[in-house]
Amino acid sequence: MASPANAPILPGYYPDPSICRVGNRYYLTNSSFEYFPGLPLHASFDLLTWEPIGNALDRPEQLPVQTGEAGASGGIYAPTIRHHDGRFWLATTNIHEVRRGHLIVWAADPAGPWSDPVYTTGAFGIDPDLAWDEHGICRLTWHDVMRGGISQVPVNPETGELLGEPKVIWRGTGGSNPEGPHVYQRGGWWYLLIAEGGTGTGHMVTVARSRNIDDPYESNPANPILTHRSTNDPVQATGHGDLVELTDGSWAMVHLGTRPRGSFPRWHTNGRETFLVGINWRHDDGAICICIEPDAESGDCPGAWPTVDEGRFVVPERLSSFTDRFTGERLHPRWISPGAAPATFATTGQGGLTLTQGRAAAERDAACLLATRVTDLYWSATVAASGDLALVVRVDDAHQALVQRIGETITARASIGPLTQELGAGLVPPEASLTIRAETTGAAPGQRSGPDRLRLGFEVSGEFTELATLDGRYISTEVAGGFTGRTIGLEALSPQAQVQAFTYTAL
């Protein structure tokens, strides 16, 4: 079994998690930024093992995205998923359309189809939350960049119309970037959970409460309820949580975190991932609260605060390796594209995957890149294909390493900021498979080392030939910046490439 201290429930670039439960099944969504389709959706019966069920924003009219450096870490920011009155609701912000307000979509089935979005014009900011009070009135709560702090307003979620004047309900505890709000009702109290400290090493989860949903909220004296700042914990940047009540009446929280590696200052490569902790409710005197319903004598719970139990859940080992032969009618939900809709250039069928040309071979920026998230710390990826093709590991266009084949020539290249350089090349037979491997650095103790080393090359009959090796720190968030993580992509470099198989293997 994997240790709960360093095992995410959704590994890889799955930040800003939001969760809800319907019956005995849980549903989870995450930010997707510049990648299309947007808002990945997973389902689970046990909170520990998750199945992808689709992406909510899977039509271009729902989600305009941008390619290139201008689009990097744009697009879809932190979402909220909720279930109310027989419908699933999703609220999020497309940062490229931020002046339109947040967008809201709904579906009867979380696997889709999801509605076209409506926009909350007048609510300017990021990280929207939806919560319904006992009268069925919906509140929109978000990080208000105009007023500062967390604002709230009644909203019609079917139209996006604001039904009042927004007002600030809490400014947090004083940490930077009070954002990611979620509102809950329990025991006659309303609770407001937020993220503070920025989404880096100072990240934390804080909470406040109020008797009424739209009154000012009072801060928990024990804030923050979760942070790993200034610790040696293998998981860092813990924050941006969302609570959920389990079928047995207990509670849990999903949150994001990173797994930095290497020598000081350490680097994380897979982006911000989704983790799980237990929640206990405790009164101000520290006693565990069991006031699920308002007290019969006083009319309500005397007050409780959520406290975090990081050791409650043990995440099981998972099978992350896969081979995709692309013979189905559509792409698996794992496949995404930065700034483009995969359906416009990728076609599946009995012959495998057909890719129409994206960028030219000498160009740097992706045009039609079909990608999947890296979910392991050490891995290999191999593609068997015919035609001119690139296999790429990237954080964005300015931070990538690739192996590309043009005719019988295979070249290893890397782009780090404004610099693009050929690292190695060779003549190989047409049956060679392009391969990238992320392995341990092998540095001796005390030596400066990156998080891993990226070996770029090709395989013939299962035998790997290396063209170049790159220090993995250059394809990390600490170097690239932004809010995503590594993805592995395929792009055709001539009018058409045919992919027989893509194999991802955890090492």
Side-chain angles (χ1 to χ4, degrees), residues 384-395:
S386 57
D388 297 341
L389 186 79
L391 175 65
V392 184
V393 57
R394 74 195 297 271
V395 172

Side-chain angles (χ1 to χ4, degrees), residues 457-477:
F458 60 91
E459 291 184 10
V460 177
S461 300
E463 184 174 341
F464 176 69
T465 297
E466 181 181 301
L467 294 173
T469 298
L470 183 70
D471 189 323
R473 78 183 76 179
Y474 299 114
I475 316 296
S476 71
T477 299

Side-chain angles (χ1 to χ4, degrees), residues 20 22 25-29 37-43 51-59 62 81 83 87-90 105-115 330-331 333:
C20 72
V22 181
R25 202 174 192 196
Y26 302 90
Y27 300 93
L28 185 64
T29 190
L39 293 182
L41 291 159
H42 288 80
E51 170 194 6
I53 58 173
N55 297 273
L57 304 180
D58 59 3
R59 304 189 300 275
Q62 293 174 307
I81 186 169
H83 186 265
R87 291 181 178 181
F88 289 87
W89 296 86
L90 275 166
V105 293
W106 67 270
D109 183 338
W114 288 79
S115 69
R330 59 179 61 89
L331 289 167

Side-chain angles (χ1 to χ4, degrees), residues 136-223:
I137 299 174
C138 184
R139 301 302 199 286
L140 175 74
T141 310
W142 74 100
H143 169 48
D144 192 329
V145 299
M146 302 298 291
R147 297 173 179 85
I150 306 300
S151 285
Q152 189 179 84
V153 67
V155 66
N156 181 341
E158 295 194 10
T159 66
E161 179 187 3
L162 305 187
L163 304 178
E165 183 66 25
K167 63 178 181 179
V168 175
I169 57 173
W170 195 36
R171 297 189 185 276
T173 65
S176 68
N177 304 99
E179 58 193 15
H182 294 298
V183 177
Y184 320 87
Q185 188 177 35
R186 182 189 184 278
W189 289 82
W190 288 93
Y191 292 87
L192 172 59
L193 194 78
I194 73 168
E196 295 187 60
T199 197
T201 54
H203 215 196
M204 54 183 170
V205 177
T206 60
V207 65
R209 70 185 181 193
S210 174
R211 290 290 190 179
N212 299 303
I213 187 172
D214 49 8
D215 282 349
Y217 283 66
E218 61 168 311
S219 180
N220 178 5
N223 278 324

Side-chain angles (χ1 to χ4, degrees), residues 185-191 211 289 291-295 299-303:
Q185 188 177 35
R186 182 189 184 278
W189 289 82
W190 288 93
Y191 292 87
R211 290 290 190 179
C289 173
C291 306
I292 303 303
E293 298 296 335
D295 181 80
D300 57 70
C301 173

